[in-house]
Amino acid sequence: MLPTGLPQGAVPRLERPGPLRDRVYEALLELITTRALRPGQHLVESELAGHLGVSRQPVREALQRLNTEGWVDLRPAQGAFVHEPTQDEADQLLTVRTLLEAEAARLAAQNADKAGIQALQELCAEGEKAVAAEDVDRSVALNAAFHTKVMELAGNTVLAGLAGQVDRRVRWYYTPVARQRGKQSWIEHRELTTAITARDEQRATHLMREHTEHTRRSYHEQNAS
């Protein structure tokens, strides 16, 4: 375990070959978005390099890239720290997510085929099992998979591309409220799947907007407590 508090077994294995700096970047980003590395946590190059089995150079390059993208803060004479999102940052991102996903739900209701609907139903079943088992990590992963599937069923590659740009950051914000949202989140997923199955574009749009708004409120409530 890292002295800075990285959970045992959380460090992903780096696959080779491939540009090492990119592999290290992906590994660190995954640790940040899953909150194995928590907001505000000090990131020590030598410790990260040791646990990833690489030299300090690709770690340094990855941290610089993560800093550019807003995941890490590089502080003079102090080092690197996982970025701590402000309430305004979270609010802006989750508001954009609502706009993108509400339109995706409308288009999914218009375009989804039987196989796609079945996939949504299966994800709901798996998500409900994860909540019952109190498996937060799996619930978060399945939540992301459900929203990705809705976006896929929308059939709009530009919309999917825009959603992809915010997907990981949404997951970052969602993880702390996953337990709080729990069962209710999957009830809302079921209702949305029903609306998509019925090809009810208006209801699907409304349900997705409400669903994402509930997550936004939960995030702010938790951070205010």
Side-chain angles (χ1 to χ4, degrees):
M1 181 180 291
L2 284 175
T4 47
L6 187 62
Q8 187 69 31
V11 179
R13 297 178 67 87
L14 296 183
E15 299 295 332
R16 300 172 187 260
L20 193 54
R21 63 180 179 275
D22 293 343
R23 301 292 185 178
V24 172
Y25 163 84
E26 287 294 337
L28 293 179
L29 183 53
E30 181 67 12
L31 290 169
I32 291 170
T33 55
T34 59
R35 297 201 174 223
L37 293 171
R38 301 191 61 80
Q41 185 168 335
H42 187 202
L43 303 174
V44 180
E45 286 182 9
S46 58
E47 293 176 0
L48 294 172
H51 281 267
L52 293 172
V54 299
S55 69
R56 293 175 62 175
Q57 183 61 30
V59 172
R60 185 176 299 114
E61 291 173 354
L63 290 175
Q64 289 170 345
R65 180 176 171 185
L66 290 164
N67 173 67
T68 300
E69 295 177 358
W71 294 100
V72 166
D73 296 327
L74 297 179
R75 303 174 189 169
Q78 295 183 54
F81 296 80
V82 178
H83 180 66
E84 296 184 76
T86 66
Q87 293 287 75
D88 282 347
E89 287 173 2
D91 197 58
Q92 289 175 26
L93 185 102
L94 294 173
T95 297
V96 169
R97 179 213 185 192
T98 295
L99 295 172
L100 295 174
E101 299 218 18
E103 177 62 8
R106 184 188 72 80
L107 291 172
Q110 183 181 100
N111 299 321
D113 56 13
K114 289 183 179 180
I117 290 168
Q118 182 177 348
L120 291 178
Q121 292 169 340
E122 290 172 355
L123 285 166
C124 285
E126 290 300 311
E128 289 159 359
K129 288 179 184 177
V131 169
E134 297 187 348
D135 188 340
V136 174
D137 289 343
R138 180 156 174 76
S139 179
V140 170
L142 288 165
N143 178 78
F146 180 89
H147 285 270
T148 297
K149 189 64 183 180
V150 172
M151 192 63 64
E152 177 188 319
L153 296 177
N156 186 312
T157 56
V158 174
L159 186 65
L162 292 172
Q165 293 178 35
V166 302
D167 177 67
R168 262 179 159 159
R169 208 167 289 267
V170 167
R171 185 180 176 191
W172 192 35
Y173 294 137
Y174 180 74
T175 297
V177 302
R179 193 180 298 277
Q180 177 185 343
R181 290 281 284 133
K183 184 178 180 180
Q184 182 58 37
S185 181
W186 290 98
I187 289 172
E188 293 165 12
H189 286 160
R190 283 284 188 188
E191 292 174 343
L192 178 60
T193 300
T194 298
I196 291 172
T197 302
R199 303 208 177 280
D200 190 335
E201 296 177 35
Q202 185 174 354
R203 180 159 176 75
T205 303
H206 172 73
L207 288 172
M208 182 64 93
R209 185 174 289 115
E210 281 198 333
H211 174 68
T212 53
E213 177 62 18
H214 289 163
T215 297
R216 189 182 70 84
R217 284 203 305 266
S218 294
Y219 179 86
H220 286 310
E221 287 167 5
Q222 175 148 322
N223 281 272
S225 60

